[in-house]
Amino acid sequence: MTDLTMQKPSEPIDDQTETRILRAARAVFVRRGTAGARMQEIAHEAGVNQALLHYYFRTKERLADAVFRNIAGRIAPTIAVLLASDATLEQKVERFVHLYIDNVREHPFLPAYVIAELHHHPERLKSLVASARVDQDGDFVAASITPLARQVLAKLGSQLDERAANGTMRQVSPEQFLVDLVALCVIPFVVQPVLESVLGMDGDAFQLFLDERRKRLPAFILDALRP
Amino acid sequence: MTDLTMQKPSEPIDDQTETRILRAARAVFVRRGTAGARMQEIAHEAGVNQALLHYYFRTKERLADAVFRNIAGRIAPTIAVLLASDATLEQKVERFVHLYIDNVREHPFLPAYVIAELHHHPERLKSLVASARVDQDGDFVAASITPLARQVLAKLGSQLDERAANGTMRQVSPEQFLVDLVALCVIPFVVQPVLESVLGMDGDAFQLFLDERRKRLPAFILDALRP
DNA sequence: GGTCATGTTAACTATCCACTTAAACTAACT
DNA sequence: AGTTAGTTTAAGTGGATAGTTAACATGACC
């Protein structure tokens, strides 16, 4: 026996193995896509034996599910809370833009992962939507999504209707409005490879592009709806 | 004699098999993603033996490459030609929105595929950008992309600058403008699974959503840039 | 110190899957 | 007919990979 796992207590005291696996899985799934990810790579990145993945999450699919829920559950609630609040439309637009861009900026590959996952495994979103309130660990799994979304749309809708009646804004459905917001904020992260390859935009230039966007989008969106 | 070999001898009939394979590959790659696609499924969907795939395209990666080029080569040129033309900004915006939505509507899963591919295989776009002018079959492979893109941006930029000098539009860079355009058009196809799962929007409702969008986007975009 | 529950590991298995091979078919041209 | 070149197929091969098993470790509790 040349070498056993002699090292023990100093470092590995960190978080539970399960969350280390989840974190590694998140990284690998986002990097490679669900189908392209390898359990081996996840195990290696988590610093554990491959069999442990199956001990904690029975199959690759369940692990992928956990990762998707974990990610989706972090993004949605923050945004929903903001948009359902009593803030004015102007405040909501500006805060949304800043919140969205500032957050995604730190995880620039998340949007592409989520989009791919939505299209290749729509059942994950469906089960998430149908699923109940809170995770057993108290993890960030949003309470059932549809009512929350309807609440957001209702609030936005009433605010937009009021403005339309006022004559201070053009009529627009809350669905279109929300989709516009998301589109304009998420797009840089989606097309980043194009910006890099076709326009030769490097990392720094991309950050500047984001800064400019963060600054101009709120006025852009509000002005687009002026009557 | 149905057919003489008066011209090029290699093309006439073997074309069928190859294009059938390509079409099947396109369908399967778009449906499952590149990593999730199986050569077997492609062969089956093309109605040929699996070994034929390797006879025509040596490896899965080359096949994936061909598919990506095929798809990217169809979308980009049409749009680039429009945006680099001498049409007014108003005309360009309206035509872009209609062109984009009408075309993608017929292949609603393309955007998600392209996005995933961009992020997991950026080298495909890079080689496409670097690659030369025209396919041997006269197929829609754009002449080297970067100069075309620069041409588009230059034209758009001068038109936008003129408006800004006029005082008829707010100042905006052509890059931001172009990204706005794409964002607002492509978003419905990207978030369609969310609209379906979370808001219960079915196929018909989605088409209506697209119609409404197609109608309101041109004014939305132009008004957003009013001074 | 024995037993039990939970974690963790190395080694294994079974399947999947991209790719290969060698033979057969087809048509065109002697 | 015979030769040749391109095309197509059935049947593999080898390696990657998700999932299993059985043994081992560790601490808790009696």
Side-chain angles (χ1 to χ4, degrees), chain A residues 13-44:
Chain A
I13 302 181
D14 25 325
D15 316 344
Q16 293 297 352
T17 322
E18 184 169 339
T19 66
R20 269 180 41 216
I21 292 176
L22 241 181
R23 229 195 327 261
R26 201 174 55 210
V28 175
F29 277 130
V30 168
R31 184 187 316 137
R32 311 263 186 223
T34 315
R38 301 287 159 240
M39 297 295 273
Q40 202 171 343
E41 187 176 359
I42 295 171
H44 179 262

Side-chain angles (χ1 to χ4, degrees), chain B residues 16 22 35 38 43 49 51-52 85 112 117 122-123 139 142-143 152 155 157 168 178-179 188 200 202 206:
Chain B
Q16 294 236 345
L22 241 182
R38 301 289 161 240
N49 188 286
L52 258 197
S85 77
E117 206 59 8
E123 72 280 2
D139 248 335
V152 166
K155 182 69 186 175
T168 56
L178 185 53
V179 166
D202 64 8
F206 182 66

